[in-house]
């Protein structure tokens, strides 16, 4: 990917983020500013989009939030949410179509997608707690599947030697692999 293309994409994400900020609560921008050095513009956009989806869902499903404009929601309002609210959001996400306007795909969101939403929203709560604006993250109360850690496989000394030798000289390669090797190494 060229440097110009990459910078163009990041500029597009920054513009999309600025557009989303116009319709979102101020705490979203505070979060964005605090995470600016740690996350790419694309990741920031994904986090803000997911929080936007969550806040819009709150407006539609919760009478308290339904009375408020998105920009009027406060951190204190977020502190009112309970485990049950998060469980209802999970259920709603699981029932949503992944690509609602597409004929090709009508699958619902996977557990992985739901966990991605929860991780993003939980990140906001962790920020609120670090800033001493809230004391509880309701997403921490949700039991989620944990991915099993994979055992790392290491090469022993002889395997490392054979690998380096193959890279340096082409020893041990099949005829097809040797053809590719000579094309790339000259």
């Amino acid at each position: 990917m060229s440097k110009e293309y990459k910078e163009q994409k990041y500029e597009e994400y920054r513009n999309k983020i600025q557009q989303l900020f116009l319709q979102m609560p101020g705490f979203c921008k505070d979060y964005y500013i605090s995470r600016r050095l740690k996350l790419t513009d694309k990741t920031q956009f994904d986090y803000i989009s997911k929080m936007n989806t969550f806040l819009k869902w709150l407006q539609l499903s919760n009478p308290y939030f339904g009375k408020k404009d998105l920009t009027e929601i406060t951190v204190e309002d977020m502190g009112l949410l309970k485990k049950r609210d998060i469980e209802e959001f999970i259920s709603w996400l699981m029932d949503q179509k992944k690509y609602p306007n597409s004929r090709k795909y009508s699958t619902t969101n996977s557990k992985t997608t739901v966990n991605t939403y929860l991780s993003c929203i939980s990140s906001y709560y962790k920020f609120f707690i670090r800033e001493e604006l809230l004391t509880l993250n309701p997403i921490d109360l949700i039991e989620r599947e944990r991915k099993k850690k994979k055992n790392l496989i290491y090469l022993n000394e002889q395997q490392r030697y054979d690998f380096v030798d193959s890279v340096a000289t082409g020893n041990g390669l099949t005829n097809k692999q040797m053809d590719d090797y000579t094309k790339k190494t000259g």
Side-chain angles (χ1 to χ4, degrees):
M1 178 179 337
S2 76
K3 192 173 184 178
E4 295 83 22
Y5 176 78
K6 190 175 182 180
E7 187 53 42
Q8 177 189 351
K9 293 309 277 182
Y10 284 149
E11 184 63 31
E12 288 175 21
Y13 286 120
R14 285 190 288 272
N15 290 336
K16 289 178 182 180
I17 288 168
Q18 293 307 316
Q19 289 302 311
L20 273 175
F21 281 152
L22 297 175
Q23 56 183 303
M24 295 186 70
F27 65 76
C28 292
K29 190 164 191 171
D30 295 340
Y31 173 84
Y32 171 76
I33 291 168
S34 78
R35 303 288 294 189
R36 193 95 195 258
L37 288 175
K38 296 179 182 166
L39 302 174
T40 66
D41 291 317
K42 181 188 181 328
T43 303
Q44 284 282 49
F45 174 72
D46 290 343
Y47 275 49
I48 292 166
S49 296
K50 285 174 177 44
M51 179 55 90
N52 189 28
T53 299
F54 179 62
L55 294 172
K56 285 182 176 180
W57 173 81
L58 282 172
Q59 276 188 313
L60 294 172
S61 65
N62 187 308
Y64 176 79
F65 288 92
K67 297 174 188 171
K68 293 184 170 236
D69 185 64
L70 225 55
T71 59
E72 297 171 339
I73 297 173
T74 65
V75 173
E76 292 78 18
D77 293 331
M78 300 300 287
L80 299 174
L81 297 176
K82 304 290 183 216
K83 177 184 174 194
R84 183 70 183 154
D85 297 307
I86 304 304
E87 290 170 337
E88 289 173 2
F89 178 64
I90 292 169
S91 180
W92 177 80
L93 276 176
M94 297 288 286
D95 292 339
Q96 293 304 299
K97 299 293 184 193
K98 196 174 199 177
Y99 305 101
N101 298 325
S102 174
R103 293 181 193 154
K104 291 182 182 179
Y105 301 102
S106 62
T107 61
T108 56
N109 288 311
S110 67
K111 287 181 184 179
T112 303
T113 300
V114 171
N115 276 321
T116 302
Y117 270 89
L118 294 178
S119 293
C120 289
I121 297 165
S122 181
S123 176
Y124 277 84
Y125 273 97
K126 288 175 185 173
F127 168 72
F128 301 149
I129 292 168
R130 268 193 321 273
E131 295 295 313
E132 299 180 354
L133 300 171
L134 293 179
T135 57
L136 178 68
N137 179 352
I139 296 172
D140 286 345
L141 304 174
I142 304 294
E143 286 188 46
R144 297 191 268 171
E145 281 185 35
R146 300 287 181 210
K147 287 187 177 182
K148 294 177 185 173
K149 289 187 177 183
K150 295 180 182 178
N151 291 332
L152 296 177
I153 301 171
Y154 296 98
L155 298 176
N156 65 33
E157 190 173 336
Q158 182 62 46
Q159 291 169 323
R160 286 192 305 266
Y161 173 80
D162 292 344
F163 174 74
V164 171
D165 185 48
S166 290
V167 171
T169 65
N171 287 341
L173 299 178
T174 66
N175 290 338
K176 171 69 175 128
Q177 290 170 334
M178 194 58 170
D179 288 344
D180 291 339
Y181 176 82
T182 52
K183 286 178 189 174
K184 291 178 182 170
T185 59

